[in-house]
Amino acid sequence: MSERTHILGIGSAVPDNVVTNDDLSRVMDTSDEWIQQRTGIRQRRHIAADCGGTDLGAIAAREALASAGVGIDQIDAIVYATLSPDIDWPASANLLAAKLGARSVPAFDVRNQCSGFLYSLASADALIRAGRARHVLVVGGEIHSTGIDLTTRGREVAVIFGDGAGAVVLGPSPDPQRGLLSTHLHAEGRYAEKLWLESASSRKKPRIEPADLDGDAPRAFPSMSGRYVFKHAVTRFPEVIQEALAANGLRVEDLDVLIPHQANLRINQFVAAALEMDEAKVVNNIDRYGNTTAASIPLALAEAMRDGRVSEGRLVCLAAFGAGFTWAAALFRW
Ligand code: UT7
């Protein structure tokens, strides 16, 4: 059997600026009670001045490299997961690579929203298993606060998203029994418009116009059919987690820790109930960060590694569902 890939180091970074539910209720018609009841979110972080996802990502990446004991010169590829690239093009992974002083190694973005981190993990694992790389840096970074409609019109989406970044260094596992067991990726593009950001759009002439910022449903802000997304999420999460377990001859009872994407605390509670899992095994930090899409899993994983919930020998599942629709799982023997 070829060497297994493992997470050798992890890092995270969020802006200092805390935005509470009460802060939001001062700029739109919402309340702390509504947001907490429907989502479990108490606060999130928003950048207070210009700062790209790759600026946060670089902080997280340096921490991940230091904790792995791996130098940037030993990194053979950089994968950056985001739905909020710093600029339209080139890929933000290039900007990140420059900030980190990387060699001229491959660097590319993965644009798969809430599943982006797991798609990136799977891509990095494939590079490592194919012998194309020994160490890969995978970073999820998002700046939502500059792209949401912070008025009552945009409240359904605006209250759930936050800014942040998380990074991991992947490399050969020190123990062949431990590390990444498998990854499972899915997409169903026919639901793309249920959760999307339509403008600016290269298929439109012009790509963006003043009307995209006005009206009842402006195309320059994310649009979401919240209940529709919710229903698919609570079906696809248990499905893909079961798929990952079955692929390895394991069962839900074997699972020690579940780290789901942080979109809504209620979704994660539904998932635990559907799997008949003890909720204490599910890692949640959405109360403090909101939904940071591609950054949410590494942010939660970093916390769980630091506080010992994720520790040697444990069976750990990472799982995500989001825009696309896309969904995914990764199973680790830690
Ligand atoms: O990471 C990407 C994946 N995203 C998700 O997984 C999100 C999945 N969906 C959800 O988490 C939930 O659908 C939301 C949290 C977005 C919304 O919760 P909901 O229980 O589905 O509420 P709703 O959209 O059905 O809205 C209920 C009411 C509506 O008012 P009426 O029509 O009943 O008078 C909304 O206008 O709540 C209203 N509302 C709000 N009220 C206060 C919507 N947003 C807000 C708000 N504050 N922020």
Side-chain angles (χ1 to χ4, degrees), residues 234-258:
V234 296
T235 307
R236 294 308 195 184
F237 264 114
E239 221 173 75
V240 75
I241 293 163
Q242 293 279 22
E243 179 188 333
L245 289 165
N248 293 281
L250 295 162
R251 293 173 309 164
V252 172
E253 302 85 276
D254 300 315
L255 201 53
D256 295 305
V257 186
L258 172 63

Side-chain angles (χ1 to χ4, degrees), residues 29-31 34 38-39 114 155-156 159 195 224 226-227 229-230 261 263-264 266-267 291 321-322:
D29 181 13
T30 191
S31 66
W34 191 97
R38 304 280 177 142
T39 70
C114 306
R155 65 182 179 175
E156 187 179 1
V159 300
L195 176 52
M224 175 170 73
R227 291 198 167 190
V229 178
F230 194 106
H261 166 55
N264 185 322
R266 282 167 54 224
I267 291 178
N291 180 350
F321 176 88

Side-chain angles (χ1 to χ4, degrees), residues 12 20 25 45 58 70 114 116-117 148 180 194 207 231 236:
S12 59
T20 65
S25 70
R45 305 295 181 98
V70 169
C114 306
F117 183 76
I148 47 179
L180 183 55
K194 298 292 180 191
R207 288 187 177 190
K231 281 185 194 153
R236 294 308 195 184

Side-chain angles (χ1 to χ4, degrees), residues 173-184:
S173 174
D175 174 347
Q177 301 304 317
R178 294 169 48 216
L180 183 55
L181 304 180
S182 60
T183 55
H184 305 266

Side-chain angles (χ1 to χ4, degrees), residues 24 28-35 37-41 83 113-115 144 151-161 194-195 224-234 237 261-267 286 291-294 296 321-323 325:
L24 290 180
M28 64 178 76
D29 181 13
T30 191
S31 66
D32 178 49
E33 191 193 3
W34 191 97
I35 299 171
Q37 269 181 10
R38 304 280 177 142
T39 70
I41 299 167
L83 64 67
Q113 309 73 242
C114 306
S115 309
H144 281 294
T151 70
T152 299
R153 185 180 58 183
R155 65 182 179 175
E156 187 179 1
V157 172
V159 300
I160 65 178
F161 286 124
K194 298 292 180 191
L195 176 52
M224 175 170 73
S225 304
R227 291 198 167 190
Y228 202 90
V229 178
F230 194 106
K231 281 185 194 153
H232 277 253
V234 296
F237 264 114
H261 166 55
Q262 308 287 306
N264 185 322
L265 183 62
R266 282 167 54 224
I267 291 178
I286 190 170
N291 180 350
T292 58
T293 50
S296 87
F321 176 88
F325 292 152

